Each structure stands twice: as C-alpha cells, then as structure tokens.
Amino acid sequence: MHNNIKTQFPLLNNNKNLVYLDSAATSQKPYSVINALTEYYNNANANPHRGAYSISIESTRIYEEGREKIKRFLNLPSSHEVIFTKNNTEAINLVAYSYGLNFINEGDEVLIAITEHHSNLIPWQQVAKVKNAKLNYLYLNEDYEITDEEIKNKLTEKTKIVAIGQVSNVLGTVNPVDKVIKRAHELNAKVMIDGAQGLPHLKTDLSKLTPDFYSFSPHKIFAPMGIGVLCADKNLLEEMPPFMFGGDMVEYVYEQETTFDEVPHKFEAGTQHVEGVLGLTKALEFVEYLGYDYIEETDRELTEYAQERLNSLPYIKIIGPKEASKKIAVISFLVDGIHPHDIATILDSKGIAVRAGNHCAQPLLRFLGINSTIRISLSIYNEKADIDKLIDALEYARRLFGYGHE
Ligand SMILES: Cc1ncc(COP(=O)(O)O)c(C=O)c1O
C-alpha cells in the first residue's frame, strides 16, 4: 500500500482544490520526473551521439540507457528494438508511412478496430487510399466487445496488417489484442498495437504478447510530453526505409546518394529529446515503485466506485459496459438534458477537470449513435473523495439547468 501518492505530484500539491479527472488525456508528473529534467539541464545538457567530450557522452549514455530501460520494462523480445519519436502519433505514422506505404499493395486489406483513436485510424485510412488497399473494421457487439467471430470473419488471407488499441480511450474497454495477434500471425499478417491507454494501467509483457509493432504515449504514464516510443521487430525495421531524413541517421552522404545508419538510429533523424527520455526512464521507475498490482487494484477500486455512484443518478447514461469490471479507469457518460460541453464548463467552475467531446474517436461515436460524451479518467493520485465532488457538481449542474425541482 502506498500512502499520500498525491503529495508526490507538485501540480496537485500546488492546486489543492483541483480534481483532476483527465489522466487519459495526460497524466500529472511526479517530482522524480520533473526534478530529473532540471538535473539534466543543470549538469548534462549536450547534444548526444555527436560530441567527444564528457557531457555529450553523458547525454548519449542517458539517452541509450532510456532505450534499455524500456526494453526491460516491457520485457521486449531480443528480436525487437525501441525507436524514439516525438509522440505516440508519430510512432504510428512511422509504421504507416514506412511499412504501410512500402509493403501494402493494391487489393490488400488493412484491418483496424472501430474503437481506434484518430491517431491509429487516419494514418491507415491514408495508406489504404494511396495504395488502393481496402480498410476494414472490427466492430463491437451490443456488449461493446470485439467477438471471436468478428476476429475470425474480418482477418483473412488478404489482411496485411491489423492496427488496434490495447484499451479504448472512450469506453475504457480492453480489446482482445492477444487473440488478434495469434490469428494475424497464423495468416502472416502484421499487428500494430497502440498501447497509449493500455500501458498506464496494465502490466504489459511484449515477449508474451509478441506484436510486430507496439507504441505508447509516455506523457500518459507520468513522463514529459514530446517523446513517443515505438517497439518493433528488428527484421521488419531493417527492411523498412527511414521515415524522416537528416542529421544523425546516416552513414555516408554523397552529393547524390546517402547510406543510412543501423536500426534504431536510421529512424531517429535530428537532435534527440534526451531529457524526455530521461523523464520517461524516471516515470517507468515510478511505475515500478508503485507496482502494477497496486495500480491495477487502485484502478479497479476507483472505477467501481465511480461507476456505482454515476449509476445511482437517474439522469446519467453511461456509454459503454454497465459492469465496472469491463473497463479500466475510463468512464464515458451523458447527462440527460445538458450538453457535455456545458457539463465540462460547469464542472470546471467547481475545479473539476474532465474531457467533453468526441475524444478523437469520431467513427466510434458515430457507430454508437452519439456525437459527444463526458469522459472521466482516473489515475493513482485520485481518491474516492474526487468522485464524491464530481457527483455533487453534477447534481449542481442539473439544478442550474432547472431540473432540481421536478
Ligand atoms: C488510444 C490513443 N491512441 C493514440 C493517442 C495519441 O497519443 P499522442 O497524442 O500522445 O500522440 C491517444 C491520445 O489521447 C490515445 O488515447
């Protein structure tokens, strides 16, 4: 058990009245992460991979040690490598541009889930358009699940790649990524897993899961913004052309030709985000200090409590499974008679930060027959008292809109 986790987050310490319920958008950062950035600028700031002097060598060490940390954290198979990008979106675009545009051909099929965030949807839509391939979707049944039958029907000999999120950022549901990977590999199709909403909540062992590509969003797991991670099969990366060109990713450059550095460097053009990688290293150490058992238990407790309290209000409609056990730290809902954006504004006036809108998942919302929701998303620094304040503020919003005297 960890006490006073909240006190390890300066923003929450400095804003005692803030109820932060938007961790799926970005998590708050602990002191250990923030202090590491200052420490880096105070003592080690230099361009990595370039200088022969000691602080540049130190900067290179910090950066490359971050790569090794991620490999250990995810139990990455030795066949895979880590590439740093500017965010999760760029990691997915790297795969779409470099793998998609070069290995997917006319008549091939690309399969994605209807739950996808635009970041793991539009890149594949573009690949399908440019290459005259077909974009297919895995849809949900009435219990918001992708069934075995759906996987069996949609994955065919023509499928070249499946791109699917580990956890939905709107519904909080866990997609059956293990089943998708198993079936895809039987059919020689590749799989790209978007771990943005998965890794902050679920212990993830990539040696067991074995996706060809796995990306995540460090700023959602306590790390700074501006850094992204792609883990990918080295054999594929060797065959894939660079996605961006410039300094530090080359071997020899001639007037008309260039040879490229080895994987992973050929995919990391330009000056690297060393302090972002350091912050990520510290963030992963923070997760290890908490332990996934603790994280998963806290998520479960808070999600169950929030779902139960929301369910007790007759004017709330939860979008997604009714059972809290089927979702992880994310709950979408509607308030009868009040638009989600109005709710978000009223909640803000009470110091409560939630997300309202389509959550960058327009096709999912259209599939569900709605155009926006209010979304709360929880993390280990939340407490049941935060949910109580949310419920009080929702009651206040209803009164404000004249529903209090029925
Ligand atoms: C499921 C999912 N995928 C992708 C992204 C995009 O990540 P980023 O904005 O960090 O690039 C998000 C961000 O909200 C997300 O929730």
Side-chain angles (χ1 to χ4, degrees), residues 24-26 86-92 115-120 165-170 194-198 215-220 225-228 355 359-360 375:
T26 198
K86 85 166 190 286
N87 53 31
N88 183 43
T89 302
E90 187 179 281
I92 299 168
T115 46
E116 292 321 292
H117 186 283
H118 295 161
S119 290
N120 197 30
Q166 202 176 1
V167 170
S168 160
N169 68 310
V170 178
D194 171 4
Q197 300 295 345
S215 67
F216 70 95
S217 194
H219 68 91
K220 296 185 198 290
M225 293 184 183
I227 186 82
R355 181 87 182 265
H359 316 295
C360 301
R375 182 189 72 182

Side-chain angles (χ1 to χ4, degrees), residues 235-280:
N235 286 331
L236 287 174
L237 290 173
E238 304 281 358
E239 289 174 39
M240 288 160 50
F243 163 53
M244 279 194 284
F245 303 90
D248 211 39
M249 47 81 71
V250 296
E251 190 184 29
Y252 298 110
V253 183
Y254 304 95
E255 285 190 18
Q256 303 296 333
E257 286 300 329
T258 295
T259 58
F260 302 114
D261 201 349
E262 293 174 345
V263 169
H265 309 296
K266 79 171 182 185
F267 290 104
E268 295 178 353
T271 297
Q272 292 85 1
H273 189 9
V274 181
E275 69 277 37
V277 171
L278 177 61
L280 174 54

